[in-house]
Amino acid sequence: MRKLRVAAAQVGGIQPDETRTEVVGRLLDLMERAAGAGCRLVVFPELTLTTFFPRYFLEDISSADTYFETALPGPETRPLFDASRRLGIGFHLGYAELVREGDRNRRFNTAILVDGGEIIGKYRKVHLPGHADHLPEAPFQHLEKRYFEVGDLGFPVWKAFGGVFGMCICNDRRWPETYRVLGLQGVEMIVLGYNTPEVNIHHREPAHLRMFHHRLSLQAGAYQNATWVVAAAKCGVEDGSRLIAGSAIVSPNGEIVAESAGEGDELIVADCDLDVGTDLKRHVFDFARHRRTEHYGLITERTAPVLPD
């Protein structure tokens, strides 16, 4: 057995007037608790360092740059990296990334994987939800398509923490292609963060279905690719908007082995045997024997559905 004790660090709402130093203090408390529980890795949410700013419409997107990080670690985030080194615990962190390339700024919804205080992996969100233009009639905005570019790093994996790790972010978890591309690289644990509004302004659905679809996405992706999935929420009421909770650790069998109980800062822990998925990978999901790629061409040839004549 290759056991890895992992924590999903759920974070309650971050209000607009909270400083990064204050937020990092909350994260350090969760990291200390995870290390005290014997965890080797702690997973933080998407856009962990600030409030979910895509809910605001700003005419000039550069006026939102205060929400972005130009370098990690920076002065305010360095304590996380120092704690990783001191405590012997790795972490996953989602944040808004601003990159200067030539004469232009590029902005991404990004996550990093850190071990021993060093960044060992980076992922940029591919499946950006929401809209790019102002919707004045909406109760709030969901402007990820305005503030971020589509990620340009693909879905890489890394050998880390004794296994093969991949990352994705929030809406990525709803797309089977995310898990399958990672699965085709032998992924054994996928770590992800999310900020999911309780109300979808584009597709209204009851709150119970919102949580059902969240869990369904995690469980199906885990089972169909024989991998662990560790998902951490930023949740609760944030600047008047509610984000769903439901942080969860899901086994390769699709079972939820740990789940958050509330909507605030909370740590959930599980001992994850990275060998659990081995039998599934050898039999039910033996890709080499059972996948029929000659019949899957439409997946990459076509983006939107085309109805038959």
Side-chain angles (χ1 to χ4, degrees):
M1 291 192 297
R2 289 177 295 142
K3 280 200 173 180
L4 179 69
R5 180 164 286 189
V6 175
Q10 180 171 281
V11 176
I14 295 172
Q15 307 312 321
D17 60 353
E18 285 190 71
T19 67
R20 276 182 182 66
T21 299
E22 290 171 329
V23 173
V24 167
R26 291 168 62 182
L27 303 186
L28 287 171
D29 178 66
L30 288 163
M31 186 183 287
E32 293 270 3
R33 287 164 52 192
C39 295
R40 183 67 181 83
L41 172 67
V42 58
V43 179
F44 293 116
E46 173 190 28
L47 298 177
T48 315
L49 298 172
T50 68
T51 198
F52 185 74
F53 64 88
R55 71 168 66 91
Y56 312 128
F57 174 77
L58 298 173
E59 190 71 44
D60 178 6
I61 65 170
S62 67
S63 60
D65 286 352
T66 183
Y67 295 108
F68 286 76
E69 311 300 316
T70 57
L72 282 182
E76 295 155 312
T77 55
R78 184 169 297 280
L80 291 169
F81 294 78
D82 293 342
S84 169
R85 190 176 299 108
R86 173 173 52 85
L87 298 170
I89 186 171
F91 66 90
H92 162 280
L93 179 74
Y95 66 102
E97 179 189 20
L98 176 62
V99 181
R100 184 72 176 175
E101 289 188 0
D103 60 353
R104 70 185 182 116
N105 287 329
R106 304 186 69 193
R107 299 169 178 85
F108 299 99
N109 189 336
T110 300
I112 52 172
L113 192 62
V114 173
D115 191 23
E118 302 293 331
I119 297 174
I120 60 173
K122 177 184 282 190
Y123 168 75
R124 291 169 172 163
K125 188 174 182 177
V126 169
H127 298 101
L128 297 175
H131 53 105
D133 299 318
H134 189 212
L135 298 179
E137 73 283 0
F140 57 87
Q141 306 297 299
H142 197 153
L143 290 161
E144 289 194 54
K145 290 184 182 295
R146 182 177 184 83
Y147 293 115
F148 301 121
E149 294 184 40
V150 171
D152 59 355
L153 301 177
F155 292 98
V157 300
W158 298 269
K159 287 186 176 179
F161 307 103
V164 180
F165 278 71
M167 291 186 277
C168 65
I169 299 173
C170 197
N171 190 46
D172 289 323
R173 75 193 190 280
R174 303 186 189 278
W175 297 86
E177 295 88 346
T178 297
Y179 299 95
R180 185 46 48 91
V181 172
L182 292 168
L184 286 169
Q185 299 172 84
V187 75
E188 294 174 312
M189 181 172 283
I190 298 171
V191 294
L192 68 102
Y194 58 98
N195 287 198
T196 299
E198 185 178 63
V199 175
N200 185 331
I201 62 174
H202 304 285
H203 172 63
R204 299 303 174 97
E205 58 185 353
H208 76 279
L209 279 183
R210 199 81 166 127
M211 186 60 72
F212 172 78
H213 291 149
H214 158 66
R215 294 188 181 112
L216 176 66
S217 299
L218 301 180
Q219 292 177 264
Y223 172 64
Q224 292 174 344
N225 296 278
T227 182
W228 288 90
V229 175
V230 182
K234 177 141 66 67
C235 60
V237 177
E238 188 178 82
D239 197 20
S241 296
R242 184 177 293 278
L243 305 172
I244 69 168
S247 299
I249 300 174
V250 183
S251 84
N253 290 307
E255 296 178 295
I256 296 176
V257 300
E259 189 171 25
S260 60
E263 291 188 338
D265 291 9
E266 183 178 345
L267 201 70
I268 61 171
V269 175
D271 288 315
C272 303
D273 181 358
L274 298 179
D275 286 325
V276 164
T278 301
D279 192 54
L280 279 171
K281 285 183 168 76
R282 286 175 178 165
H283 300 289
V284 180
F285 297 113
D286 184 343
F287 292 170
R289 286 198 302 136
H290 301 314
R291 293 188 77 242
R292 297 267 55 95
T293 55
E294 67 272 22
H295 297 298
Y296 304 158
L298 283 181
I299 291 176
T300 55
E301 293 169 5
R302 185 178 296 173
T303 301
V306 176
L307 297 179
D309 295 332

